[in-house]
Amino acid sequence: MYDVVIIGGGVSGAATARELSRYQARICVLEKEEDVCCGTSKANSAIVHAGYDAKTGSLKAKLNVRGNERMEQLSKDLDFPFERRGSLVICLDEEDMPALRELYDRGVANGVKGLQILSREETLAMEPNVSDQVKASLYAPTAGIVCPFHLNIALAENAYANGVDFKFNTEVTEIRKMDGGYELVTKQGIYKTRCVVNAAGVYADRFHNMVSDAKIHITPRRGDYCLLDKSAGSHVSRTIFNLPNQYGKGVLVTPTVHGNLLVGPTAIDIEDKEGTNTTREGLDQVMEKAGQNVKNLPMRQVITSFAGLRAHEEGSEFIIGEAEDAPGFIDCAGIESPGLTSCPAIGEMVAQILKEKLGLEEKETFHATRKGLLNPNTLSKEEHAALIKENPAYGNVICRCEMITEGEIIDAIRRPLGARSLDGVKRRTRAGMGRCQSGFCTPRTMEILARECGVSMFEITKSGGKSQIVVGTNKDAW
């Protein structure tokens, strides 16, 4: 019998788990995939938004600003990449100036610090590759960029270190009310709990509607992206936005914390909650719209494209709180942009609700910090040489594009909640994220996974489930 079961291991679920791990309680995270960060949290713009876009007084606005404020210290405590680069919203037409000023006024009302409306000359001085048609821009110095994988993994690892259970490949198929709580039926058995946190992304409406008569509807909103090589990473220094419309902030151009350039997303409402396929039309739209705000984009440097799904709720607002007709069932639904930015504040809010409901007491043994993977590239030549002498695996480069060593991959596998698939290794180490997109390092990474996990190559998958890489009948050959 758990005190709290959290459905979903994305950033909202992991942030909630980490905040709840401060208290004396039995907590469990159920995740249907083989790892954390397998849904919306893995495929997004990786932006820490300043907070000027959401409607003043909304939960989105409040949690956006609070999450932004917390991100820098959190990155230091949990050792994940974050850079406060700033952002620009580009105005290309004098007729749109009132909309730009409205955005400024809203940001000030929301509590965003340092906002400025810049002239054409000031904008081009700051970002020379912005369109020559620019009339003005809204500059937000508090905006930033983050690695969503490392953020999600760091939150989960810290929660695990503080006593939270994580159950993977455990899909919830039914929720039943019972005296004093809920039964969660999964393919791995039944879990009983006093309270449920519904942090299931695009599936959050299904779980809510199992226990409540006040139905909600989540629409998967697909966003297509193009990722450019590191040779294009300095084309802009800040995140470049369009003026927002009813579908969000439009196609952006942004550097990443790892030195690439990211362009996207589209905003296409679909019904398929697993519809993460890219389309020719979507990618053409990305390229066309990105070029409106940023000139001379080196689109020949695209190394991969991908699509992610945002959990769009009809009211365009976060739904966070206890369902009125389902005591102990806490929704964390409709978490679309700025959900990544807001996740530290979302975790705080949900944990506070449960602290008061369950009368939770803080524990003295909570560990607020976590150390990430060792990055040999941050060491001096002398330190690097000493490391290789002590552990030769750190001198064996597996991924040549990103210069990732066998030692880093082994560490990623052996860590708490360690990698069990190629994508799991990729999210933790970046092995396979470079220019060749795993073309060179896949076989060696698979060999290391098989050896470390004590399984055959036939059991190694790209991303869990039935995504095996090696198939056939002659398994004895391996």
Side-chain angles (χ1 to χ4, degrees), residues 7 41-42 67 88 115 134 160 228 250 320 332 351 382 392 421 446:
I7 305 174
S41 300
K42 76 172 181 181
L88 292 170
L115 288 175
V134 64
Y160 179 82
L228 281 65
I320 301 176
C332 190
E382 294 75 17
S421 66
M446 289 177 64

Side-chain angles (χ1 to χ4, degrees), residues 75 215 383:
S75 72
K215 306 303 182 185
E383 291 170 331

Side-chain angles (χ1 to χ4, degrees), residues 124-230:
L124 289 170
M126 191 173 280
E127 290 289 352
N129 283 322
V130 162
S131 169
D132 291 331
Q133 306 305 314
V134 64
K135 303 301 180 186
S137 67
L138 176 63
Y139 173 50
T142 60
I145 53 178
V146 69
C147 176
F149 319 125
H150 288 175
L151 167 59
N152 200 157
I153 291 164
L155 289 165
E157 283 188 0
N158 191 234
Y160 179 82
N162 282 295
V164 175
D165 293 338
F166 282 78
K167 307 293 184 183
F168 297 111
N169 300 306
T170 306
E171 181 178 359
V172 177
T173 58
E174 185 182 356
I175 302 177
R176 299 193 293 242
K177 293 180 180 179
M178 67 175 193
D179 289 342
Y182 295 87
E183 288 183 338
L184 280 66
V185 181
T186 79
K187 296 180 179 180
Q188 308 300 328
I190 294 176
Y191 291 81
K192 296 182 178 181
T193 179
R194 297 169 67 190
C195 293
V196 174
V197 174
N198 174 25
V202 294
Y203 289 95
D205 54 347
R206 291 189 182 177
F207 296 123
H208 171 94
N209 295 341
M210 286 180 184
V211 300
S212 175
D213 291 331
K215 306 303 182 185
I216 64 173
H217 179 69
I218 300 293
T219 299
R221 179 167 285 176
R222 195 186 78 228
D224 302 78
Y225 292 88
C226 292
L227 183 70
L228 281 65
D229 186 65
K230 290 183 178 180

